[in-house]
Amino acid sequence: MRKAKNDNHYVGLLFSLMLICLVATTAASQNLRLAKAFTVNEGLASNLVYSCTEDDKGFLWVATDNGVCRFDGKYFKRYAMAEGVPDMDVLEVLKEKDGTIWINTFKQGPCYYDEASDRFIDPLKNVNIRRDFVRLVLWTRRLEEGGVVFFNTGGELVFKNKKLVPSESRTAYRFFENGKPNWMYAGNINGLKYYAYLKSQNRLDSVLLFEKKEKMRLYEINIQLKSKLYVLRGIEKIYIIQKSSHGNPIHVVEKEIDENPLMIRENGNEINVSTAKGSIYVFDYRTDSLKFKISGNFFANSSFRDKNGDIWVSTMDKGLLLFRKSTLNIIRPLPPPPTRNNFRSVCVDSDGTIYGGNNYGEIIEKPRNGPVRIRSINAKGNTTRVVGLLKSQNKVFVLSEWGCFVDYNRLVRLETSETIRQLKKGVIYNDSIIIVSGVDPKGGLYKINTRTERATRLKVPLLRVSTLAVQGKYIYLGTTEGLLRYDYMLNTLSEVGASTPLKSARILSTTATPDGLIWVATLNNGVFVLKDTQVVYQVSDPRFLNFSVVKLQETDKPGLLWTTTRRGAAYINYSMDQGRFNYTITNLNHEDGVSNNVITDIAYRNDSIYLAAESGIAIIPANISIPRFDIKTYLTDIRVNQKQLPVATSYDLPSSDRTITLTFSGVNLSGYFDHFVYSLNQDSSMPEIVGNTLNLSLDPGRHVLKVRAVNINGLISHHVLTLYFNIRAPYYRSAWFIVVIASLVTGIIFLLLNRLKTLGQKRKYAQKKRIDMERNRITEDLHDDIGSTLSSLKVYSDVAVNMMERDAHKTKYLLEQISINSSKILEDIGDIIWSMRTDRQNMLTVDSRIKNFVSEVLGSREIHYEINIDPEINDIVQHITARKNVVLIVKEAVNNIVKYSKASLVSIRLYAKNDLLRIEIVDNGIGFQEDAKSSGNGLRNMKKRAEELGGVFQIASFLQKGTKISVEIPVTNIRDKGI
């Protein structure tokens, strides 16, 4: 038992070693090119990826140290603990023979994906087994007879139909031949001799693989894949053991590699061996031969080949790398730095020799079957960019900012012996004349006689010509201010497209095709097609215009035109049918070597396209055909009223469930998916879905939703995802309810006719009752607010009459009190009238009335004040009683401050928070003691008004530190406007 635990611990250490080591190599895999790297920036859960596999629908499942992801080619969806993943460190993802996706987690055992619930399920939940060996690293193997096994030296778990089943000994090392079981495994004797064993039902054979030296420290990993046993040693050697059909019962093949192997995985008919240096050796299962090696500036954990033949490499810190098998041939002939292979111009001779110029004044010559020669035009010590290359009279003409060089060493000069500088473009006019353009105040267009190597300035008053194209005797000149046509024979210049959008447009490129058409690429208006200077069509495809055409390139085949854009290359197939122009655009931005490249020049020769790019010169067959990907669309998530439902094709929903959010996946790992379009019911417009989520609000009834994927070239997939929704009508629209209601309405109408008078009287009574209630409330307000004041006026008046002759001073005081109370009555009546007026004639809002009052009272007494009232208060305080009480609470508090506080600063704030109206009034006055709170009528009135609105009144005061009044009133009590 102790030995089994030690062996298990040993295997775990080896697995951890594989995950920790990071050794970068520089070897390149055969005919594979890195197309794209997916990291956390693209939505991957982590840059540490252990493994990946493809399910039957085409999704790629990716195991990381931060959960498992499902990838449809464009969007990642992460599954973590909330989705049933028991441990975020997912070591491996495996597809069972029936398509079930399993994951192997660190120390928490296996789980499988349940599509109906869109989560992972623990098959060991509520299963009584010994789990100690699950805490160690588990290896996985898909069983050919169906099922999957998770195992280590401590035990194994066998699942069939997603259920744990009793297993025989060494199920992980079993295979079937002619329906009979066989076992193949390996082990050591006394830690020195290592044997491979072949066991059948009645026989056991063995063969010695190797003998370990006493001091040699090595590890061994043996895994059964299909009918072969693979034994890895940490000494750059692999043993492949197979049952022999003749002779010895066991056949052993030894394979040596350059690195120590760590792990082995099956991938179809390929066997992938991961090494301690982060490389992957790919062997052919049938022949046991090495197919290729995957390595680079990354540490590879594993690799997987998908249905399209592309290879996905899981790395330690570079995320998920996509390698494609490409027909492109990319030439990178110049040594470091890499920028020297950033070519700016390209030219191909009739014999197939390729010429490429870079930004360092260097030119490479690559004959069809010869070695690369490197030339330079830097003889004078001036490094310059090679902006163009032309071949004429068996001479190479190099255009640069320093001039035009012939055969790399002779400068072309004008008749005045001047050199022509700042050259930009060049084109061959005939077998002895080339036309070049540059930047020169005297005129930037020249002809060069390729025989005499002399240049002549043409009498064209143009400072700068950005592009040139030749058609017969005409030379089309693209400028920053439109397109011009130069007649070389007559030496005349004319404008093209004066009454079209070409006028004053910035021209990027022009070319002439063999069918007599002139193509003109502009910066902002797309591509124009001209026939005899007349515009016959404008290519305005938005997918095309999103990336301005940099260069147009004709071929010798009518109907085919190549272009370069800011995102790669594309070709246009076009036709003219009875004056109607038809075209299709195919982008090559996902082809290896073209994607993410900046392409500066393009050339055509011998049915091939040559691209000068930042990573070298790419060669593409001109007749390349991009396959049509019929992208399937899947519904991956549905939420109704924000509640998640299981994924299905039809839904029967109640009338309340009308807000539907749908998430889709256009599964295409090649990356050709672009967007979705949909149609609802009979609508044929098929609008685009932004992103991968569609929000719908459906009316009651039956609805049919159809969703289709569109690839990057605008082709709509044949596959249609059809979803059916039945939104049940509310009960009041159902037939039985309508019949019942109709019967009831008939009876009610009959009763109404007989009781109309009685109901009218009841309505009048109810209205009178409401009016009385409101009258009583107003009466109470008048009695409470005004009655007491009128009583005091009566008393003051009587006393003043009696005291008028006896005590003039006291009489004056009483008259002043009468005046003050009269003003208060007027003010109170105004407050009551204002609170009851809710029509448009009442121009003062709550905040305006409070601000006016505070300004009059505090401003006249030179007390500084701050008022902060949220604008939404006016909409919140609508009830008549609320309007009055809110204002009166503030007025009562301000009056108290003026009378008693001796404050110099007052802060008033009204705002709404957490469904409460909050009133805060703070002063810096002298304050008062706690026992004085209940003695004042003002405080009692404020508390009464707050409680009348269902609110809470609080006051805090300290001697010489001021007073704070706080009121909190529920918003629901004050919104209603009342009667």
Side-chain angles (χ1 to χ4, degrees), residues 321-334:
L321 306 181
L322 171 59
F323 287 83
R324 294 188 189 279
K325 199 172 180 181
S326 176
T327 57
L328 262 67
N329 180 19
I330 299 182
I331 301 175
R332 299 185 182 93
L334 294 170

Side-chain angles (χ1 to χ4, degrees), residues 618-637:
I619 306 172
I620 309 173
N623 59 350
I624 188 173
S625 178
I626 302 300
R628 176 190 174 98
F629 290 96
D630 198 27
I631 302 171
K632 290 186 177 182
T633 300
Y634 294 99
L635 175 66
T636 57
D637 186 82

Side-chain angles (χ1 to χ4, degrees), residues 564-585:
T564 65
T565 70
R566 293 299 182 191
R567 72 173 186 180
Y571 61 84
I572 304 176
N573 292 111
Y574 66 91
S575 63
M576 293 280 291
D577 184 12
Q578 297 179 352
R580 185 174 180 178
F581 187 81
N582 301 298
Y583 71 95
T584 60
I585 300 171

